[in-house]
Amino acid sequence: MAIERTLSIIKPDAVAKNVIGKIYSRFESNGLKIVAAKLAWLSPQEAGAFYAVHKERPFFNDLVSFMISGPVMIQVLEGEGAIAKNRELMGATDPKKAEPGTIRADFAESIDANAVHGSDGEDTAKVEIAFFFPAMSVYAGR
């Protein structure tokens, strides 16, 4: 399996619960390395631009409102099959349908306040990483 990078966001609900460290522990214990990270409070413009792909969807305004409701922790994860691995760790979007032991099953409260975001594919990951991190901000290794 190839070494990949993916974007991960710990959303305002999980940041407010003070579970960043618990979520980071899951990434690291499952072979994902954090190669860039920052805490940010997104503006309406930033959240709207990031989620622009959903602009025509009925949940768009609620999503943007939620994402600007508090700080978020944004990170780039790297590892073998990082995109699929992170999606597996996150669990189903609806925490009621998420497998026990996944991040959403353990830390999310609803389909809207679902604790984390993760890129859904290689092309999306590249775009999402570039949105938050210029190339110089991501650890390149030695």
Side-chain angles (χ1 to χ4, degrees):
M1 204 172 262
I3 299 294
E4 297 174 331
R5 287 186 171 169
T6 189
L7 187 84
S8 165
I9 301 175
I10 300 174
K11 294 181 178 182
D13 57 320
V15 172
K17 289 179 187 170
N18 202 29
V19 294
I20 295 169
K22 290 178 181 179
I23 293 171
Y24 270 25
S25 177
R26 297 207 186 175
F27 296 152
E28 293 173 337
S29 65
N30 283 280
L32 296 174
K33 184 174 170 180
I34 299 161
V35 295
K38 64 181 170 184
L39 185 68
W41 197 315
L42 301 178
S43 70
Q45 295 77 19
E46 289 167 326
F50 183 74
Y51 286 108
V53 67
H54 299 302
K55 190 158 183 68
E56 301 304 319
R57 309 283 295 270
F59 60 81
F60 176 76
N61 289 332
D62 289 340
L63 175 61
V64 170
S65 293
F66 171 65
M67 291 301 291
I68 67 171
S69 68
V72 296
M73 191 72 202
I74 309 163
Q75 49 280 321
V76 177
L77 306 175
E78 180 181 84
E80 286 191 30
I83 296 165
K85 174 59 69 178
N86 184 46
R87 295 194 66 76
E88 178 184 327
L89 292 171
M90 289 190 308
T93 303
D94 182 347
K96 292 179 181 104
K97 297 177 182 173
E99 291 291 322
T102 61
I103 293 168
R104 288 179 172 144
D106 292 346
F107 302 116
E109 295 186 17
S110 69
I111 196 166
D112 298 316
N114 63 9
V116 286
H117 165 90
S119 302
D120 62 6
E122 193 172 335
D123 291 339
T124 305
K126 287 177 183 173
V127 170
E128 291 182 346
I129 290 167
F131 186 90
F132 288 111
F133 296 99
M136 292 176 53
S137 300
V138 180
Y139 175 70
R142 293 184 192 186

